[in-house]
């Protein structure tokens, strides 16, 4: 079986597609992976090359560095700069199914199944981060057109949580009920030294969704660290952030090392349709402290301890620092919950969807346009 997967090089979508591609390769699939948006980092390019070497003819990749994503400022080119090339690549690759991690490519003119995964979207982001709809603009209208067309013509739409699936279905017409497949992550267990009584979070400081600025208002009894981009275009946030130590953007292995050294991970997000960073931290042994929002409750259930604002986060940090047995119990619950989100289970669910649609007659794969 041959699947062509689109990804981007920014944040959790990259991690998700890397995990999925590796699992599908181990299950006998031939995988083509196409990255969009920013130029791949040296670490990402190294992974591409290593994977191609390991799997030889069963893995191929391409980086379309000049292909903007739907939510980017220059989204007027998100379709026109990419769709013709991606269509040609799918034909040359002999893809039997397209798995798009961008909305618009559900509308590619291909006679193969087109599966779209909705990791997040601008409308639900705006409600969570701003509490209101975005102002009308050519950029927003173009974004909505791209999303509507892609969703309307996809064969199936997948989301990582029920919360994300319901939110998407409330804003857009879908070709059928959205499917829910939780994200998965596999991290090798390695011996860890003594943990430091410190808390870490990972997120772009300029991203309103990550809500990292709450840490500047916390009276923390322990050191707080933030890993993530401090630059957004020409603007750069200072290296000190009101008592919080900024680590900058870290490669995957560096970030996992920080997680393995830390006692706690703070998921500050006000918008997080799933969240791979807290999952990674929990798999490395951190207790997960999560902002009390519905999507994080769905993912973590009793595997996290929750806070609602900076005052409750301050109290929580103090309590866990003063009660070693409570901290140890929280770490254990987070680890046990995280272990349920395996990349093997995720890949098996996607494989079932891919095989289902590949088995359908070609006429049943053609989705009529759905009016929004």
């Amino acid at each position: 079986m041959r699947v062509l997967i689109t990804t981007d090089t920014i944040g959790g979508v990259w991690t998700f597609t890397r995990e999925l591609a590796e699992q599908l390769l181990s299950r006998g699939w031939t995988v083509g992976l196409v990255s969009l948006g920013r130029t791949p980092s040296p670490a990402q390019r190294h992974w591409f090359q290593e994977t191609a070497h390991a799997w030889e003819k069963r893995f191929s990749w391409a980086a379309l560095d000049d292909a903007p994503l739907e939510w980017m400022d220059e989204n007027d080119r998100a379709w026109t700069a990419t769709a013709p090339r991606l269509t040609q690549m799918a034909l040359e690759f002999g893809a039997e199914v397209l798995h798009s991690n961008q909305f618009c490519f559900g509308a590619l003119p291909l006679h193969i199944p087109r599966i779209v995964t909705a990791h997040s979207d601008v409308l639900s982001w705006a409600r969570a981060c701003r509490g209101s709809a975005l102002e009308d603009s050519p950029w927003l209208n173009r974004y909505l057109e791209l999303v509507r067309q892609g969703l309307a013509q996809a064969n199936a739409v997948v989301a990582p949580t029920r919360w994300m699936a319901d939110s998407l279905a409330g804003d857009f017409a879908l070709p059928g009920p959205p499917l829910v497949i939780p994200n998965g992550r596999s991290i090798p267990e390695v011996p860890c030294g003594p943990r430091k009584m410190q808390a870490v979070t990972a997120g772009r400081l300029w991203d309103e969704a990550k809500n990292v600025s709450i840490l500047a208002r916390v009276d923390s009894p322990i050191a707080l660290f933030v890993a993530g981009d401090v630059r957004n275009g020409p603007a750069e946030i200072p290296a000190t952030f009101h008592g919080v130590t900024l680590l900058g953007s870290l490669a995957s292995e560096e970030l996992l090392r920080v997680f393995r050294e830390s006692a706690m991970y703070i998921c500050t997000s006000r918008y997080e349709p799933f969240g791979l960073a807290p999952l990674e931290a929990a798999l490395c042994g951190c207790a997960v402290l999560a902002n009390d929002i519905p999507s994080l409750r769905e993912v973590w259930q009793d595997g996290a301890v929750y806070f609602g604002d900076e005052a409750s986060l301050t109290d929580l940090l103090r309590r866990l620092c003063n009660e070693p047995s409570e901290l140890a119990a929280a770490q254990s619950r987070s680890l046990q919950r995280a272990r349920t989100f395996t990349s093997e289970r995720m890949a098996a669910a996607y494989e079932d969807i891919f095989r289902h649609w590949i088995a359908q007659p070609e006429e049943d794969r053609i989705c009529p346009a759905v009016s929004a």
Side-chain angles (χ1 to χ4, degrees):
M1 298 288 186
R2 305 177 69 86
V3 57
L4 185 67
I5 303 175
T6 69
T7 187
D8 71 57
T9 56
I10 304 170
V13 175
W14 166 259
T15 305
F16 162 82
T17 48
R18 185 187 65 196
E19 290 280 321
L20 180 60
E22 289 176 347
Q23 286 297 322
L24 290 173
L25 286 165
S26 71
R27 290 166 174 266
W29 286 69
T30 298
V31 176
L33 191 58
V34 183
S35 70
L36 312 168
R38 295 178 186 170
T39 300
S41 68
Q44 290 169 333
R45 194 168 288 274
H46 179 69
W47 178 85
F48 276 136
Q49 293 166 347
E50 271 200 334
T51 307
H53 177 74
W55 294 100
E56 298 180 340
K57 294 182 179 179
R58 290 197 28 230
F59 178 78
S60 58
W61 64 279
L64 304 184
D65 302 345
D66 59 341
L69 304 171
E70 298 145 330
W71 52 267
M72 289 181 168
D73 291 340
E74 63 273 28
N75 69 353
D76 56 325
R77 296 176 50 249
W79 174 263
T80 57
T82 309
R85 286 187 287 175
L86 198 56
T87 300
Q88 186 61 33
M89 291 169 73
L91 295 172
E92 292 175 355
F93 179 70
E96 295 171 89
V97 60
L98 172 76
H99 178 209
S100 176
N101 290 282
Q102 291 75 38
F103 293 108
C104 62
F105 302 125
L108 284 181
L110 294 167
H111 295 290
I112 60 173
R114 296 165 308 285
I115 313 301
V116 170
T117 294
H119 297 277
S120 63
D121 79 281
V122 164
L123 298 187
S124 60
W125 174 91
R127 281 195 298 271
C129 296
R130 309 224 174 143
S132 61
L134 294 170
E135 292 184 7
D136 186 57
S137 68
W139 167 84
L140 179 60
N141 290 333
R142 181 59 180 164
Y143 172 84
L144 294 175
E145 178 186 355
L146 289 167
V147 174
R148 287 169 180 156
Q149 288 297 319
L151 289 174
Q153 296 182 58
N155 292 102
V157 176
V158 182
T161 52
R162 175 53 54 192
W163 180 89
M164 185 67 228
D166 291 345
S167 179
L168 194 72
D171 289 324
F172 299 99
L174 305 180
L179 306 169
V180 176
I181 300 178
N183 291 341
R185 186 74 167 92
S186 297
I187 295 176
E189 292 190 17
V190 300
C192 295
R195 290 185 183 276
K196 300 174 184 177
M197 188 57 75
Q198 65 186 34
V200 62
T201 193
R204 301 173 291 272
L205 269 73
W206 48 266
D207 186 346
E208 296 173 60
K210 299 304 179 184
N211 193 32
V212 177
S213 62
I214 189 177
L215 297 180
R217 305 188 296 275
V218 171
D219 184 13
S220 176
I222 60 174
L224 302 178
F225 294 88
V226 177
D229 288 342
V230 298
R231 180 183 293 275
N232 183 26
E236 185 169 7
I237 295 169
T240 57
F241 186 63
H242 298 289
V244 179
T245 301
L246 305 185
L247 303 175
S249 182
L250 300 180
S252 177
E253 287 305 316
E254 294 177 278
L255 184 58
L256 295 180
R257 178 185 57 79
V258 174
F259 290 161
R260 291 183 178 114
E261 293 177 348
S262 303
M264 307 172 217
Y265 180 91
I266 306 173
C267 188
T268 58
S269 301
R270 59 164 61 98
Y271 175 72
E272 194 68 81
F274 185 90
L276 280 168
L279 177 57
E280 293 174 334
L283 289 170
C284 291
C286 293
V288 174
L289 285 57
N291 195 11
D292 197 354
I293 59 175
S295 57
L296 290 177
R297 281 277 183 180
E298 178 186 342
V299 171
W300 287 99
Q301 298 180 15
D302 64 354
V305 284
Y306 298 92
F307 60 89
D309 55 20
E310 55 266 32
S312 61
L313 178 53
T314 296
D315 291 343
L316 183 56
L317 287 167
R318 288 175 178 168
R319 192 174 80 238
L320 293 176
C321 287
N322 292 328
E323 298 290 343
S325 60
E326 186 175 350
L327 174 58
Q331 290 169 333
S332 177
R333 291 195 304 271
S334 293
L335 177 58
Q336 294 308 310
R337 181 62 179 166
R339 283 174 171 167
T340 67
F341 297 109
T342 66
S343 57
E344 291 86 356
R345 187 172 76 166
M346 174 184 72
Y350 273 99
E351 185 179 34
D352 286 346
I353 294 173
F354 296 164
R355 288 187 181 277
H356 167 80
W357 280 101
I358 289 172
Q360 303 306 306
E362 184 174 312
E363 58 269 22
D364 293 340
R365 301 174 186 164
I366 302 171
C367 289
V370 179
S371 59

